[in-house]
């Protein structure tokens, strides 16, 4: 049997983005503390909910920053893929903690519908406007790299979306000042919780799938299989596996049955190039077999892993 490998120089965020991560983390962490404090003083669950959401920003930034840093660490004898999968574990833990905290806020919001507490609408507006400014500034720092780096794009989209969430808090504060309906604070809290849970649920689902070595979202296994079978000289394939090495890198292994024998390094190189180009699979390992029935591959049956 012959194995074909493709080696890559994995690309990472430019060094300048480390500064963006640092500034964004400090700004958002400071804002979380300020927002939670004023939420307590103003008796505003909306501010508490938004503070929880912005805490997810800090964790998200730290996750992206940590993943960018860890991905540069070379493989070791014990960790042959390096520590790339740590970003998957961080996303999983982050999503679980955030869902639990949002559940607590939702419970308190429901309780306050029947026991409303006066809310300082002006404070809500002022703090949330600061949130709009901070989230917008942070998003702009990642804008230049959002087109070519999925990790940076995630940070950019998260910050941009949070600027819109803070805008919703401003609207709630204005409505309370005009109507004096303090229950609007609880209502906005529940809406913000729903927004956070919706986004976090997708994060939880995706991180669990990646932790279980599922095929990453955006890659259709059947299309990959058809592509490989259509390569010249390939009679059939088996033992196809596609999984995530990290939140940004995908790997593939497969057995190619080629009765004509080993096709040469150029063939393997071309297949790996096309797998990366068409499917974004950067780390491919191809095993070539001639299909000798006297020595059947034990991994050929679909139910065998």
């Amino acid at each position: 049997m012959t194995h074909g490998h493709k080696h890559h120089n994995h690309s990472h965020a430019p060094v300048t983005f480390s500064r963006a991560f640092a500034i964004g983390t400090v700004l958002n962490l400071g804002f979380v503390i300020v927002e939670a404090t004023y939420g307590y003083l103003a008796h505003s669950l909306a501010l508490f909910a938004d503070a929880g959401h912005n805490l997810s920003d800090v964790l998200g930034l730290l996750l992206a920053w940590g993943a960018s840093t860890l991905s540069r660490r070379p493989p070791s004898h014990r960790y042959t893929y390096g520590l790339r999968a740590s970003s998957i574990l961080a996303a999983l833990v982050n999503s679980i903690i955030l869902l639990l905290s949002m559940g607590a806020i939702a419970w308190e919001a429901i309780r306050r519908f029947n026991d409303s507490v006066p809310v300082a609408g002006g404070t809500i507006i002022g703090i949330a406007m600061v949130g709009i400014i901070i989230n917008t500034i942070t998003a702009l720092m990642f804008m230049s790299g959002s087109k070519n780096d999925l990790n940076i794009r995630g940070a950019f989209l998260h910050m941009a979306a949070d600027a819109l969430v803070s805008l919703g808090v401003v609207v709630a504060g204005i409505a309370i000042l005009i109507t004096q309906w303090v229950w609007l604070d609880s209502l906005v809290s529940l809406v913000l919780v729903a927004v956070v849970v919706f986004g976090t649920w997708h994060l939880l689902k995706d991180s669990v799938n990646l932790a279980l070595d599922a095929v990453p979202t955006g890659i259709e296994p059947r299309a990959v299989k058809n592509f490989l079978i259509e390569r010249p000289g390939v009679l059939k394939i088996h033992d196809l596996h596609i999984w995530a090495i990290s939140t940004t890198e995908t790997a593939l292994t497969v057995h190619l049955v080629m009765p004509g024998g080993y096709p040469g390094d150029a063939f393997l190189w071309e297949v790996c190039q096309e797998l990366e180009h068409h499917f974004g699979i950067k780390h491919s390992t191809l095993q070539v077999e001639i299909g000798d029935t006297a020595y059947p591959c034990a991994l050929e049956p679909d139910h065998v892993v």
Side-chain angles (χ1 to χ4, degrees), residues 31-37 45-57 102 105 192:
F31 180 60
V32 166
I33 296 173
V34 171
E35 192 171 32
T37 300
L45 263 181
L47 284 180
F48 270 122
D50 198 44
H53 187 59
N54 282 294
L55 180 59
S56 74
D57 298 344
M102 288 299 103
I105 291 175
L192 290 175

Side-chain angles (χ1 to χ4, degrees), residues 28 31 49 59 70 76 78 94 98 137 148 164 207 260 265 267:
N28 280 273
F31 180 60
L59 295 176
L70 290 176
S76 65
R78 179 65 59 182
N94 182 9
L98 192 53
I137 291 175
N148 302 317
L164 295 178
S207 58
D265 290 354
F267 171 84

Side-chain angles (χ1 to χ4, degrees), residues 24 36 46 53-54 76 93 97 119 122 143 145 147 159 165 183 203 207 214 230 253 265 273 285 287 293 295:
H53 187 59
N54 282 294
S76 65
V93 173
I97 293 176
V119 175
M143 180 178 290
K147 296 181 180 179
M159 295 297 105
V165 172
W183 54 265
L203 174 63
S207 58
E230 292 171 356
T253 61
D265 290 354
Q273 286 282 339
T285 302
Q287 176 170 309
T293 56
Y295 303 97

